[in-house]
Amino acid sequence: MKNHRILPEGYGPLPLSPLPLSVVQELIETEEVAEALAVRCDTGHNLHVRFRGYEGIIPRAEAVSPLVSGADREIAVLSRVGHCVQFIITSIAITGGGKPVLILSRRKAQERALQFLLESCPPGTVVRGKITHLERFGAFVDIGGGVVGLLPLDHISVARITHPSQRFVTGQNILCAISEVDMAEKRFTLTHKELLGTWLENASLFAPGETVTGRVRGIKDYGMFVELTPNLSGLADCCEGIQENDPVTVFIKSIRPEQMKIKLQILQKMEGPLPPEPLNYYITDGCLQAWHYAPPGCAKPYPPTFFTPSP
């Protein structure tokens, strides 16, 4: 199943070339979803946008669907200023000076996206997402048309992190998969780690004898866990002066798939921040049924992920 019929708000570049009024009238007839930058929210909490040579207005009642969590809060409208919004053009009003103004409905675009997600995207479906904001417990992700799902902290990657800001930034485009759908509340729980590759897929990027960079993600009495990729960590002996989240260079001593272990030696702490690497997705589309991180026959248990249809 491909899920490219809907996109998060602001996922790609906006077309800016002016449109003839005849084309705008066609958009009204076909109810095609369009997108533009919200530039102002007036005292009546109506959103004003600039759309391809026209001024557009989204009335407060049409700015957020009541089916979306938090729609009744004014911040749901105010926070859209400076961000892209998707909408359906419902009509054209003519001002006293003869200038056409487009009347828009973001609510209709949201409800169309929500209906598609509920009807066509069961658990396991890979979707495109855009990080809207980060909290200690996880990331909120627009998965289409302004419909937002929660990506819990422990679903972000196999390598443990203490805050989603250690993996994402607000406004970042990502891929994720729907893990649960609450049909009654129309809410989505998301997952991300299954798309970042299995242990073997990640371990194949490295070889014993190499020296590479990593980041300390956990410190125990018996050693330090160093993240090599978001889905792969190795264990090194404790090293004085190294703290959690420090970037380090490590020497790879051994890689043992049968025990899912990588033995490392920390060489030094790196000076300055370690620049984030682009996320490497091994799964980019389709609908997952199950995902097994551990190598076949591995003695170390790692529970597989199973995606089951919502009741």
Side-chain angles (χ1 to χ4, degrees):
M1 174 193 301
K2 290 194 174 183
N3 184 36
H4 296 169
R5 288 172 52 188
I6 58 171
L7 290 174
E9 292 179 316
Y11 191 85
L14 288 175
L16 300 176
S17 56
L19 288 179
L21 193 58
S22 59
V23 175
V24 175
Q25 290 170 333
E26 289 179 8
L27 293 177
I28 295 175
E29 295 172 3
T30 59
E31 294 191 334
E32 183 177 336
V33 174
E35 188 169 27
L37 181 69
V39 295
R40 182 164 63 95
C41 181
D42 63 29
T43 56
H45 292 151
N46 307 301
L47 281 175
H48 295 248
V49 308
R50 293 175 184 153
F51 175 66
R52 307 191 69 173
Y54 299 89
E55 178 186 355
I57 298 177
I58 306 176
R60 171 63 184 91
E62 298 297 317
V64 187
S65 169
L67 300 177
V68 174
S69 177
D72 56 336
R73 300 170 58 207
E74 293 302 336
I75 191 64
V77 180
L78 302 178
S79 62
R80 297 317 303 164
V81 176
H83 296 276
C84 290
V85 290
Q86 293 180 7
F87 49 80
I88 291 173
I89 306 172
T90 58
S91 62
I92 302 174
I94 304 298
T95 65
K99 181 181 178 180
V101 175
L102 310 182
I103 308 302
L104 317 171
S105 175
R106 182 171 179 250
R107 175 185 63 81
K108 287 186 176 182
Q110 274 189 326
E111 290 175 357
R112 179 181 295 181
L114 180 60
Q115 181 181 10
F116 175 80
L117 289 165
L118 290 172
E119 293 180 354
S120 304
C121 300
T125 303
V126 178
V127 295
R128 300 184 187 188
K130 190 178 187 72
I131 304 293
T132 61
H133 61 287
L134 305 173
E135 298 288 350
R136 174 187 55 79
F137 51 85
F140 287 90
V141 185
D142 180 348
I143 55 175
V147 177
V148 174
L150 173 62
L151 174 54
L153 183 67
D154 59 350
H155 289 191
I156 292 176
S157 62
V158 173
R160 296 182 181 274
I161 54 176
T162 57
H163 195 278
S165 61
Q166 294 172 344
R167 193 71 70 210
F168 302 131
V169 295
T170 300
Q172 181 177 349
N173 292 336
I174 66 170
L175 293 176
C176 52
I178 296 171
S179 62
E180 296 179 22
V181 182
D182 186 331
M183 300 296 287
E185 297 294 329
K186 297 178 174 58
R187 292 180 180 175
F188 300 87
T189 304
L190 310 171
T191 189
H192 181 258
K193 61 185 180 182
E194 290 83 359
L195 310 184
L196 298 176
T198 65
W199 192 93
L200 283 177
E201 286 171 330
N202 282 271
S204 68
L205 302 174
F206 305 95
E210 290 185 328
T211 298
V212 298
T213 60
R215 186 177 295 276
V216 177
R217 290 300 190 193
I219 300 177
K220 303 293 183 181
D221 293 339
Y222 52 84
M224 295 180 166
F225 288 96
V226 179
E227 173 190 311
L228 302 178
T229 75
N231 266 15
L232 186 71
S233 295
L235 184 65
D237 292 334
C238 289
C239 188
E240 187 176 350
I242 303 295
Q243 299 179 348
E244 197 164 307
N245 294 320
D246 279 347
V248 293
T249 57
V250 293
F251 176 77
I252 301 176
K253 299 172 70 175
S254 64
I255 299 176
R256 294 186 285 178
E258 70 281 0
Q259 293 182 318
M260 209 162 63
K261 289 184 178 180
I262 298 180
K263 184 63 177 174
L264 305 172
Q265 178 183 346
I266 294 177
L267 300 180
Q268 62 180 350
K269 176 182 174 180
M270 296 177 62
E271 297 297 328
L274 182 66
E277 294 187 8
L279 293 169
N280 183 22
Y281 291 110
Y282 288 81
I283 300 172
T284 60
D285 213 332
C287 188
L288 304 173
Q289 302 299 318
W291 181 73
H292 299 267
Y293 176 71
C298 177
K300 184 177 180 179
Y302 190 95
T305 305
F306 294 99
F307 296 90
T308 57
S310 302

